[in-house]
Each structure stands twice: as C-alpha cells, then as structure tokens.
Amino acid sequence: MNVSVAALPAHQVEAEGLIVGVPEGTTTPAGALAALDAATGGVIAEVLGSATFAGKDGQVEVVYPLRGAKAKRLALVGLGKDALTPETWRQAVAAGMDALRGKVRTVALLLPDGLDAATTPTVEGAVLAGYKFEAYHTKKDDDDRRFTGLTVVGGDEAAAQRAAQLAAAVCWVRDLSNMPGNVLPVPELLTRACAFVEEAGITVKVIDGDDVLKQGFGLLEAVGRGSQYLPAFLIAEYRGAGDDAPWTALVGKGITFDTGGVCIKPRAGMEEMKTDMHGVATVLGALRVIAERKLPLNVVALCPMAENMPDGDAYKPGDIFKAYNGLTVEVLDTDAEGRLILADALAYAVKHYQPKAMVDVATLTGSIIMALGYEATGLFSNNDELSRALLASGTETGERLWRMPTWDVYAENIRSDIADVRHIGKAKGDAITAAMFLKRFVGDTPWAHLDIAGPSWLAEAKTYHAKGSTGVGVRLLVDWLERN
Ligand code: BES
Ligand code: MN
Ligand code: ZN
C-alpha cells in the first residue's frame, strides 16, 4: 500500500474514501470535522443528529454519495467514550477500512483529536488492516478488495514512512508464517530470511549441514534429523553501536512444519503448524526495522531452523542428546521440539555474545493457549526490570503480555533420573515447564521468553488482523528496543 501524507483540508484530498473518528456523544462536529462538515453540506452534523449513530466503540456509518469532497464515500467510526489510546485508534481505523473494503481502493484518514503522535497508529492500523495473504490465488478476482493507497490528512511525513516500514515488516512476517510447509522448508526459509535482512545492511552467518552437529548443536540436530531438509542456524548481526557496546540477543523458534515427529500430532488442525516458524520471522522482522531506523544498538538475531518429521532416522522418546552448553537432555515427547532448538540457540547466544538482555519468541506450547487464550502472549523472565519494560511495550503496541511464574518449585518437574534434565514435565502447566527448561540454558543473562502460541494465529479475522498469521511481536520488540 502506498502511504503518503497531505497538508490539505480533508475534502480536497485525492482519495476515494475518507475515514474519520467520532467520540461517543459528539453532537456537533468540531475541529477538522467541522471544516469537512461545512464543505460537505452539513452531512456529518446530520448523521450525528440521527438516532442510529452515537459514536459507540466500533460503530460505523458510511455516507454515500458524499457531495462537496473529492472522496465519494465517508466512513464515520465511533471511538467510544473512554480516552483514545493508540490501540483503540488502530482498531477504529480497521473498522473504517472494513466498511469501505471492496467499495474504494484509496483512503484518506483524518487524525483524531486527543491522541499524541497519531500518525503512527493510523498508518499501522491501516496497513495491517489492508493486508491479505494472496500468494496462491491464480485468479486475482479479489483485486478490487485490496487497498492501494493511504493518505494521512495532516500527518507527519517522517512518522508515516517509519510506520509504513514497520507495518511492512509485520506483513513480511505474516506472509512467511502463512506460507505452507512445502513452500517454505528450511532452505527456502533461510534464503528468504537472509535476503530480507541483508537488504537492510545486516550481516548474516549460516551454520548448516554437518556443521550443525560438529559445532555442538546436539538438540537442533536431533529435532531436524527426521526431515529430508537438514536443520540450519542463522545468525544475523546488526551493529548500530560501537564494537565495545554490549549486544542484545533475539532468539526465534523456526520450525518450518511441526508434525510432532514420532509422537505425531492428531490430524485435526495440524495444518496450522506451518506457522511454527513465526518466532524466527518475528525476530528478523524486528531486526530489519531496527537496522532501517539505524538505532544505535548492537542486536543479534539467532535463528534455529528445522522441520519436525517422523522418519526412520527421527529422534524418539527416551533418546538423550547433548545440548550446546554441554547439558544432557532426556527427550520424552518429540512434539516438544521447540524448547530443544531454542535451548541450543540460547546457550549459543550466552557463550558468544554475553548479551545484556536476551528475548526469545516462540509458538511454544498449547498450554499457554489454555492459560491465556488468544489475547495475550505469555511472558516468562528471570528479570523484573526487563519484564516491566516488555510489559510497557505490550501496552503501547496493543500486543498484550501477561507475566507467568518461573519459581524454582517448578524446576522439580524437569528433573531426570538418567540425564541432566528432561524437557517435559510430569505435572501440569507445560508452558511453565517449557520456560523452566529454557531457563537452564540462559545462566545469569537477563532473559525473557515470549510464548506467542495464542496471539500468533487467528482462526477468524479480528480488528486489524486478517485470518491466519498476525505477525505479533515485531511491533513489541521494536518498541522495546527503541526505548531501552
Ligand atoms: N508448536 C507447538 C505448540 C503450539 C500448539 C503452537 C498450538 C501453536 C498452537 C509445540 O511444538 C508443541 O507441539 N507443543 C506441545 C508440547 C507437549 C508435547 C509437551 C503441546 O503444546 O502440545
Ligand atoms: Mn511440537
Ligand atoms: Zn512446535
């Protein structure tokens, strides 16, 4: 979508549709709305005076044909009566776009009153709401339902372009996690990932083939051995600060498809496991934005990639493997593969980068969906300050986090009789067990684990998300890195 700003009165902006927000209980148009109302023959005042539109949260009224403006359609979107937040505004923008979808292809948005720096959430909401995964329709008969242009009336040009870049990175993450497993096996994920970050001047290093085992990634190798595609480990470095400045490490789960392996998953819903590399896509998406913004930080993204398949050579329950940090791990369920590949990556990050902070992102457990549903990411951390910072970014970006415990009492659950550690527990609460397992690989490094299994995927479209992958986590990480 082409994003621009215009310094014109709304009625003079070249766009087929206009979207404006209206706080609940507004009876007469004020501010920019008043000017638009005057130009369009009082049509806004008329709608506000009607019994059918009260400006309630999520309520939308479309005026057509609009006279006196270049746009032929006007969507009035209710903003409710609470103070406007970036997130409520993003959602309002999406509601306006939903109402105009298929009717117009270019929209102009009026910035709402009472929201600082409103250009950013305006562009984010609009670009994200305009997203559609459409790589595989051979007939593009949906063309008229796609938005091509967005103009922010009175917006800040620099902020608009930054937000557009950020939203484009989120859409890249969505595209990759929506792609089926056959299209995006490890080598293809690797190629696309490298190309995407290299475009922003990020340097990459790949450990693959025999080197995975030779260099000590015993868990990653184990998970990937049932697949015809060998596992790989991608290291992407962005050096925006000096050589002496400490690193921040981002680690993502990159399972290109998760069948469960020998402990195979039930058929129902298995196709969703094409999104099990969302974590890798998320951290690379964030890294690219950080590089595009030239932030004065050193950030490294560590991306273990594998396909979890059953096969004659696949790993089995009861197998024991040596992790990158030397710990021996007893595997009891081959479907708990994510924590294994992350463990090697976390240990690698600690050893080679001594990061001042480390965050991993993973579609890790069904258990976190039982706990938090689809509305929040599970946050697990050994550090209160890091947790607070991430929680604040969650609120700012609308990507909600909820902190879960990592008390030592839970560690009992992963004690193994025949190895240093087992990777699943005997008790309930697997999302916590998984985090306790990861914690064994981070040492004293301030670390947070984000289990995005819930919010990364939607069975139905919601607010500014289409059905399928949401691209969750990119905006969160960028916000956090930018402020810290
Ligand atoms: N990728 C899944 C977790 C998942 C489930 C993500 C549903 C998104 C939606 C993970 O690898 C997995 O299979 N976890 C198992 C662990 C269990 C075997 C201990 C799970 O949650 O069932
Ligand atoms: Mn699994
Ligand atoms: Zn998985």
Side-chain angles (χ1 to χ4, degrees):
M1 196 182 328
N2 179 47
V3 175
S4 61
V5 303
L8 295 167
H11 69 279
Q12 288 175 12
V13 175
E14 283 302 338
E16 295 166 317
L18 274 174
I19 298 175
V20 303
V22 183
E24 186 168 345
T26 309
T27 47
T28 41
L33 272 192
L36 180 60
D37 187 56
T40 56
V43 72
I44 298 175
E46 205 173 315
V47 172
L48 295 181
S50 75
T52 52
F53 183 81
K56 285 196 194 312
D57 193 8
Q59 211 180 14
V60 184
E61 186 73 77
V62 177
V63 177
Y64 171 81
L66 188 64
R67 314 254 184 233
K70 293 211 165 140
K72 284 287 155 287
R73 285 182 162 83
L74 168 67
L76 298 157
V77 186
L79 300 177
K81 46 181 177 310
D82 297 337
L84 198 58
T85 66
E87 178 60 8
T88 46
W89 176 239
R90 272 181 217 108
Q91 296 190 5
V93 167
M97 297 206 20
D98 273 347
L100 297 179
R101 184 172 275 120
K103 303 267 193 325
V104 309
R105 300 201 59 192
T106 54
V107 282
L109 281 134
L110 249 69
L111 296 175
D113 289 330
L115 185 66
D116 285 346
T119 302
T120 302
T122 304
V123 173
E124 287 175 358
V127 176
L128 295 177
Y131 172 86
K132 191 166 185 293
F133 180 62
E134 52 187 7
Y136 298 102
H137 285 132
T138 51
K139 272 207 212 117
K140 301 275 181 222
D141 51 5
D142 270 0
D143 264 8
D144 55 350
R145 296 183 62 78
R146 209 165 357 101
F147 292 96
T148 54
L150 159 71
T151 307
V152 186
V153 182
D156 169 343
E157 175 68 32
Q161 296 315 326
R162 279 158 59 95
Q165 265 183 339
L166 177 58
V170 177
C171 293
W172 178 81
V173 173
R174 288 173 172 182
D175 272 346
L176 254 69
S177 1
N178 279 328
M179 275 180 197
N182 69 320
V183 175
L184 201 70
V186 171
E188 183 65 22
L189 175 59
L190 201 52
T191 306
R192 286 180 186 253
C194 289
F196 181 69
V197 294
E198 280 175 330
E199 274 169 26
I202 291 161
T203 48
V204 298
K205 187 181 154 197
V206 176
I207 300 171
D208 58 1
D210 292 344
D211 287 337
V212 170
L213 195 53
K214 274 196 201 134
Q215 296 202 22
F217 296 89
L219 304 183
L220 176 60
E221 196 273 341
V223 168
R225 62 199 294 166
S227 167
Q228 62 174 309
Y229 305 102
L230 293 173
F233 191 71
L234 166 66
I235 302 149
E237 284 184 1
Y238 165 67
R239 266 181 205 270
D243 284 353
D244 301 332
W247 288 94
T248 298
L250 304 176
V251 177
K253 171 176 174 182
I255 296 293
T256 61
F257 194 82
D258 181 12
T259 63
V262 167
C263 307
I264 199 159
K265 287 181 180 293
R267 182 196 56 76
M270 200 203 274
E271 71 281 357
E272 196 185 306
M273 287 301 115
K274 66 187 176 184
T275 197
D276 215 15
M277 33 54 67
H278 197 297
V280 155
T282 299
V283 299
L284 293 172
L287 189 69
R288 170 158 165 160
V289 175
I290 294 307
E292 283 170 341
R293 294 190 180 178
K294 300 192 167 43
L295 292 189
L297 300 169
N298 289 344
V299 186
V300 59
L302 301 145
C303 306
M305 303 173 182
E307 185 183 44
N308 189 19
M309 292 287 282
D311 177 71
D313 196 35
Y315 77 138
K316 306 171 292 297
D319 285 357
I320 295 180
F321 299 96
K322 199 186 264 295
Y324 193 81
N325 67 353
L327 280 183
T328 55
V329 178
E330 182 187 8
V331 168
L332 287 138
D333 189 321
T334 63
D335 196 12
E337 82 298 335
R339 63 198 75 179
L340 295 174
I341 69 167
L342 288 177
D344 271 351
L346 292 168
Y348 182 94
V350 170
K351 180 168 176 200
H352 297 276
Y353 292 90
Q354 297 92 39
K356 63 169 182 173
M358 176 159 74
V359 178
D360 75 70
V361 184
T363 45
L364 204 62
T365 66
S367 161
I368 199 69
I369 305 178
M370 303 295 271
L372 302 177
Y374 295 93
E375 307 297 340
T377 290
L379 162 68
F380 301 79
S381 178
N382 60 1
N383 187 287
D384 290 344
E385 202 187 318
L386 175 57
S387 295
R388 266 195 298 274
L390 286 165
L391 286 164
S393 291
T395 306
E396 180 62 31
T397 57
E399 300 193 328
R400 284 183 215 85
L401 304 182
W402 191 257
R403 190 166 179 191
M404 303 287 289
T406 52
W407 297 307
D408 282 341
V409 285
Y410 288 106
E412 180 55 27
N413 210 13
I414 51 170
R415 212 166 45 80
S416 165
D417 294 330
I418 56 170
D420 294 334
V421 61
R422 34 186 286 156
H423 78 141
I424 61 168
K426 300 156 207 158
K428 304 264 183 200
D430 179 56
I432 304 171
T433 308
M436 295 310 291
F437 177 76
L438 297 179
K439 203 176 167 200
R440 293 292 295 268
F441 298 85
V442 304
D444 297 331
T445 306
W447 153 80
H449 156 55
L450 303 178
D451 192 339
I452 56 167
S456 58
W457 190 264
L458 290 175
E460 292 305 331
K462 189 175 75 182
T463 65
Y464 47 87
H465 297 296
K467 168 178 179 163
S469 172
T470 59
V472 73
V474 177
R475 292 187 299 114
L476 176 93
L477 290 176
V478 170
D479 186 80
W480 170 68
L481 286 163
E482 215 161 32
R483 290 158 192 255
N484 291 275

